[in-house]
Amino acid sequence: TRVISPEDLAKMESEMETLERDFKSIEDAYAENMLNLTVIRSYVKRLLENSRVVRFLSSKHQDLLPEFERIVGAESP
């Protein structure tokens, strides 16, 4: 069996702390992004419920309308 030196153990503990901080940072960013996505999805849904907006997008921005519809129809993870 291999014995772990105190230096190796200290290095592993330091790396683990760094990983935990990185994970927490990513987790926080994910939560904020999900909140933003939910707000945006709700806003786009309300826009698409307005027939004047849909007519405008259909006539002036045909490429955007399907994308907005896809956003509204997307499932939350």
Side-chain angles (χ1 to χ4, degrees), residues 24-59:
K24 179 66 175 147
S25 176
I26 291 168
E27 190 176 49
D28 291 345
Y30 177 80
E32 184 176 337
N33 288 340
M34 288 307 298
L35 176 61
N36 289 336
L37 178 60
T38 301
V39 170
I40 290 167
R41 184 181 294 134
S42 295
Y43 180 72
V44 170
K45 182 179 179 188
R46 288 189 62 206
L47 285 176
L48 293 181
E49 289 171 353
N50 184 322
S51 60
R52 292 178 68 194
V53 170
V54 172
R55 276 196 309 274
F56 174 79
L57 290 172
S58 293
S59 66

